[in-house]
Amino acid sequence: MKVLLDLQYLNVATTGIKTYMMELANATKAFPHPEIEWIFTHDPEKQAADTTFKNPSSKFQRLNYHLDYFRWKEFQLPDLVKKHQPDVLICPDFVSPAASLPCRRMTVLHDAFFWQMPQNYPRWWRKYFLNLIRKGLKEKTEIITTTQYSKTALHKHLGNELPIHVVYQSPKIINSVADEMILDRLKLRDTPYFFHLGTFDKRKNLPLLVHAFKTFLEKENQDFKLVLAGGPGQSIQMNDFPVVEKLVSELGLKEKVVLPGYISDAEIVSLYQEAFCYVFPSENEGFGIPILEAMKFGVPVIHSDQAALKEIANGAGLSSKSGDASDLAEKMILLSRDKALRETLIKQGLKQSDNFSPKKFLEAFQYLILDAAPAL
């Protein structure tokens, strides 16, 4: 059985989809199957390191990228299918070629955000991208998604014509040695802090977290800090970084809220290891990788009661009401006061994180590839 894995999108992927693609590619090499031959369209490390289209600074550069992407999906990838003659083509970035292909397709739709949250995307871009997605959902296509929550949402917007399978992915495996210099650089040494890692997309609700942290400080009078690591949102419509910066200033929290921007894997390890708690107040997620990353590092998690996050945490995190800053603050206060609860969450989180591994991630794909199973 020959499987062609499309890795072209790694040249611009930065967050969850990048993790998905890299962990899947790495798992195929770490856990080979005697009945499956994996073929990569690109070397994953080299493609991820390609900076040609990363962080475009002009409309011309963005247009060039979209033309390159269209050319890849509609011409070059179908040519590779003809060349390698795979039994299965896996496209882990929402889009499969519109052209007719002789093989099965597995197209990964990580979430239903394009349908659920249209206000977060440029109108013309969203219309164009949704058109690409729909044109590729044809023939022998099976949709892969990340949670039961996402499956339900996709059924609502796409109907029931195509089978949808849930495959739980693996969080990023970070093997870097901790770079503790970041603790000194950010003045976090011997200071407890709440931690969040990810882009400043509006759906992450980071302004709400800042408000909750302000309330926490007022009620607890403890020497805590809040670390919000990561880059700006992925578009002007989605970017909440300026909002957070302004809010931090208005609330007088410049000495308490740390905004380090992008950080290295070694710095991520250090910040996870020393965090008092990981806080994830997002209003909408397809999966929730940081929850599992934090749990694997033995960090207790507070997350919103958004359906996908509850599904992934499975009771091993402390849930707060979505969009409710007061409730989030109360959960932060509770965790700071109740040492027994914190220890319980750490133990439960470590156990829950064991349910998500590269091997299990790959085995779910192998099952679908070899058995052509009906939708789960």
Side-chain angles (χ1 to χ4, degrees), residues 270-303:
S270 185
L271 289 176
Y272 268 132
Q273 287 179 343
E274 299 300 322
F276 175 80
C277 171
Y278 188 88
V279 189
F280 205 43
S282 181
E283 67 176 289
N284 200 358
E285 293 291 327
F287 187 74
I289 289 174
I291 283 182
L292 297 175
E293 287 182 349
M295 288 178 173
K296 282 184 179 294
F297 278 102
V299 180
V301 172
I302 299 174
H303 60 83

Side-chain angles (χ1 to χ4, degrees), residues 94 109-113 115-116 143-158 164-169 284-288 306-309 311-312:
F94 288 89
L109 305 186
H110 297 258
D111 48 60
F113 294 165
W115 294 275
Q116 294 172 320
I143 297 172
I144 309 296
T145 194
T146 52
T147 55
Q148 291 294 335
Y149 163 74
S150 290
K151 177 179 177 178
T152 300
L154 289 169
H155 270 312
K156 177 181 178 181
H157 294 283
L158 296 176
I164 301 179
H165 310 284
V166 175
V167 172
Y168 288 132
Q169 68 187 88
N284 200 358
E285 293 291 327
F287 187 74
Q306 191 267 337
L309 301 184
E311 182 178 338
I312 296 305

